[in-house]
Amino acid sequence: MISDKRFRALIENSSDAIALFSADATFLYVSPSTERILGYRPDELVGTSGFDVIHPDDVDKATKLLLAAMQSPGKTVRDELRCRHRDGSWRWIDLLGNNLIHEPDVQAIVGNYRDITEEKAAQEIARRDEARLRLLTDALPVLISYIDREQRYRFHNRQYEAWFGAAANDMDGKRVREVVGESAYANIQPHLEQALAGQTVSYEDWVPYAIKGTRYIRATYVPDIDSKGEVSGLFALVIDATEEKVADQRLSLAL
């Protein structure tokens, strides 16, 4: 059994912070890690309301989280909230709560929380980058997609909607084989595998798509190679050159 001294040492040296709350969200105990995360000494928070440090726009979320904890003793509830740092800035906090008020040795809601401000900032940057990428790729009259190592679509531009119709809305997360059909996949597979092995591939051919029908395409697959030299997926650019190819064939026959 862990002694109280060892247990306290474990809590006080944890990278995450721990707090005990009453049923009305009053701080009963705050671990020292809170000072590193939010800048407050434990004695500055004990006796105050947890809602005092919550961003006004997140008070409703915090209230619902508290109610969920009260209604489900012993079950973990979770949400992401903005909390005010002692310096006046706002920090994103990943908060897990567990109502142990019914436990005689605890008699409190236990909160475990960590600072995810940098993670949220990175997510926002990624979201903006994807929005810019989508704006650019949607304006191009070619099919552009990103396919991961498992040959699943992770991104596709609007041009796919013209090709696959409503089915394009469900592409992300699906394997190439599922989307293009078995016959087309048999044609495409060797090129995909070559790109996922780290080689840039360009080819053109007649491809019998399940939904679009047989089309003459020009395709380029560029491997996505990370800093370790590993291939995490590929970028695909496909041009529908069917009309051009048919016109060339007719011209050849006429000559």
Side-chain angles (χ1 to χ4, degrees), residues 119-214:
E119 294 175 32
K120 296 290 284 187
Q123 290 171 7
E124 178 61 19
I125 291 173
R127 186 194 66 78
R128 291 179 181 176
D129 287 347
E130 182 173 347
R132 285 193 289 265
L133 176 63
R134 186 167 296 281
L135 182 65
L136 173 63
T137 58
D138 281 351
L140 298 175
V142 297
L143 289 86
I144 299 174
S145 62
Y146 182 85
I147 299 167
D148 67 17
R149 281 199 60 81
E150 296 182 348
Q151 297 187 19
R152 294 183 185 275
Y153 286 101
R154 295 303 178 187
F155 173 87
H156 67 278
N157 69 341
R158 188 175 298 167
Q159 192 67 18
Y160 274 90
E161 295 175 11
W163 260 47
F164 298 113
N169 297 326
D170 300 321
M171 278 181 56
D172 288 348
K174 285 189 175 181
R175 296 182 185 276
V176 174
R177 183 196 298 266
E178 297 177 77
V179 175
V180 304
E182 291 295 335
S183 296
Y185 183 71
N187 182 297
I188 294 171
Q189 182 183 13
H191 306 295
L192 288 175
E193 293 179 349
Q194 189 177 352
L196 290 173
Q199 300 180 51
T200 296
V201 180
S202 293
Y203 70 96
E204 55 183 85
D205 200 358
W206 289 98
V207 179
Y209 292 95
I211 295 178
K212 188 64 176 178
T214 301

Side-chain angles (χ1 to χ4, degrees), residues 52-74:
D52 290 344
V53 297
I54 300 295
H55 192 285
D57 292 342
D58 290 344
V59 168
D60 186 53
K61 280 204 301 183
T63 301
K64 291 178 180 178
L65 192 66
L66 177 61
L67 290 174
M70 293 302 297
Q71 293 170 2
S72 304

Side-chain angles (χ1 to χ4, degrees), residues 45-132:
L45 293 178
V46 172
T48 67
S49 173
F51 287 104
D52 290 344
V53 297
I54 300 295
H55 192 285
D57 292 342
D58 290 344
V59 168
D60 186 53
K61 280 204 301 183
T63 301
K64 291 178 180 178
L65 192 66
L66 177 61
L67 290 174
M70 293 302 297
Q71 293 170 2
S72 304
K75 293 185 178 181
T76 300
V77 295
R78 184 174 192 169
D79 210 336
E80 296 175 355
L81 307 166
R82 285 165 291 180
C83 292
R84 187 182 63 248
H85 191 277
R86 197 173 190 278
D87 63 12
S89 63
W90 295 101
R91 304 295 174 89
W92 277 101
I93 299 298
D94 179 26
L95 173 63
L96 287 80
N98 195 333
N99 176 9
L100 298 180
I101 292 177
H102 61 289
E103 294 288 342
D105 293 334
V106 182
Q107 299 183 28
I109 298 173
V110 179
N112 181 281
Y113 48 100
R114 64 188 183 92
D115 187 346
I116 58 169
T117 305
E118 291 185 3
E119 294 175 32
K120 296 290 284 187
Q123 290 171 7
E124 178 61 19
I125 291 173
R127 186 194 66 78
R128 291 179 181 176
D129 287 347
E130 182 173 347
R132 285 193 289 265

Side-chain angles (χ1 to χ4, degrees), residues 234-255:
L234 63 90
F235 298 94
L237 186 151
V238 178
I239 299 173
D240 185 351
T242 306
E243 294 182 4
E244 178 185 340
K245 185 65 174 179
V246 170
D248 287 345
Q249 289 177 336
R250 288 174 178 170
L251 181 60
S252 297
L253 290 173
L255 296 176

